[in-house]
Amino acid sequence: MRLHELCKIYRSDDNEIVALNDITLNINKGEFVAIMGPSGCGKSTLLNILGLLDQANSGRYEFMGHQVDQCSKKQLSQLRKHHIGFIFQQFNLIDELSVAKNIELALLYHDITRAERKRRVNEIMDKMGISHRAKHLPGQLSGGQQQRVAIARAVVGEQSFILADEPTGNLDSVQGQEVMEMLVELNKQGKTIVMVTHSPAHADYARRTINLFDGHVVTQQLRATR
């Protein structure tokens, strides 16, 4: 992920909000990066642009060698589907579907057989320690278990980039630590992780922290390998 002088502005009839201002940074394959800053500083906007859910008004964004502003909507959709997994604070699970079916949703638009979908779902549930919850509905799970399901859904398609927006925001300290340890393990397996967080303790799990303020990158901190 390579960003050069990237800007994002939201305009209405009588107002203009600069969400991101002249952002230049690289996120390399295999990194674990935390993005921090006060509310309204542009963290989630940056994550949405990195995840190809939104586009900048100016500047350049190169994702896996693709110049994003030159890609069609179909090309962007294919890049998201095959390479990017999303984890959200609110989990975003379908209440009426079982754990297994929620995870399988991420595979429905991939060109794989039903048997292969079932194999991948069973494998990832086993890795996440939720196989015994396969037939449960989200409402029957704790917050930590729901986030495990959300993480499983994000990686079941073998995506190489994981974008997490406040993944521990709705969890208690114990559940939050468990989720962070899962993200660290995924990073050790080669996943590139970019995480928005308000928690300095959880940012410490990342190899690098990028601090935003008023849409600018103000500092970056590199940590020693854990």
Side-chain angles (χ1 to χ4, degrees):
M1 296 174 169
R2 302 186 184 278
L3 288 72
H4 181 72
E5 297 181 353
L6 188 141
C7 295
K8 178 64 178 180
I9 300 172
Y10 294 102
R11 293 185 175 94
S12 61
D13 292 339
D14 56 356
N15 198 17
E16 180 177 283
I17 298 174
V18 179
L20 297 175
N21 193 352
D22 197 28
I23 301 289
T24 296
L25 62 87
N26 295 336
I27 295 173
N28 299 315
K29 183 178 180 180
E31 274 201 281
F32 187 167
V33 176
I35 300 174
M36 295 193 71
S39 296
C41 72
K43 300 187 301 297
S44 293
T45 298
L46 177 57
L47 202 69
N48 286 339
I49 290 175
L50 292 175
L52 309 178
L53 296 173
D54 198 358
Q55 289 198 17
N57 297 96
S58 63
R60 281 200 321 274
Y61 175 29
E62 183 181 299
F63 177 73
M64 296 187 68
H66 298 270
Q67 197 66 39
V68 169
D69 61 357
Q70 297 175 8
C71 292
S72 66
K73 289 184 178 180
K74 183 176 181 180
Q75 288 173 319
L76 293 176
S77 177
Q78 289 296 312
L79 287 171
R80 278 196 306 271
K81 180 171 70 174
H82 291 290
H83 299 290
I84 303 175
F86 296 92
I87 304 170
F88 304 97
Q89 179 177 347
Q90 302 295 339
F91 316 134
N92 288 7
L93 303 177
I94 307 299
D95 292 338
E96 295 78 16
L97 296 182
S98 68
V99 164
K101 291 296 183 183
N102 263 285
I103 297 170
E104 188 181 8
L105 275 178
L107 297 175
L108 291 182
Y109 297 101
H110 290 248
D111 187 22
I112 56 178
T113 65
R114 183 177 180 180
E116 175 63 9
R117 292 201 306 268
K118 183 177 181 180
R119 184 195 69 78
R120 290 196 191 182
V121 170
N122 287 337
E123 181 179 63
I124 197 65
M125 286 193 301
D126 186 54
K127 286 183 178 179
M128 293 292 169
I130 51 176
S131 295
H132 63 299
R133 298 289 193 179
K135 296 183 179 180
H136 286 70
L137 299 176
Q140 298 172 304
L141 307 179
S142 69
Q145 289 169 336
Q146 289 187 60
Q147 195 61 293
R148 283 174 181 260
V149 177
I151 293 172
R153 181 185 57 193
V155 300
V156 70
E158 301 179 353
Q159 290 85 347
S160 53
F161 292 85
I162 305 301
L163 305 184
D165 195 356
E166 296 283 0
T168 61
N170 281 338
L171 306 178
D172 63 30
S173 59
V174 174
Q175 293 172 339
Q177 182 177 345
E178 290 175 354
V179 166
M180 292 309 306
E181 288 171 355
M182 279 188 278
L183 293 179
V184 168
E185 184 58 34
L186 288 170
N187 181 241
K188 289 179 180 178
Q189 294 169 14
K191 306 291 186 185
T192 303
I193 298 176
V194 183
M195 175 185 68
V196 164
T197 182
H198 278 102
S199 168
H202 292 163
D204 281 346
Y205 283 84
R207 181 77 170 87
R208 177 162 55 118
T209 296
I210 298 169
N211 289 283
L212 297 185
F213 187 78
D214 285 348
H216 293 275
V217 174
V218 290
T219 61
Q220 296 192 51
Q221 178 184 0
L222 188 66
R223 294 180 182 81
T225 304
R226 279 176 169 261

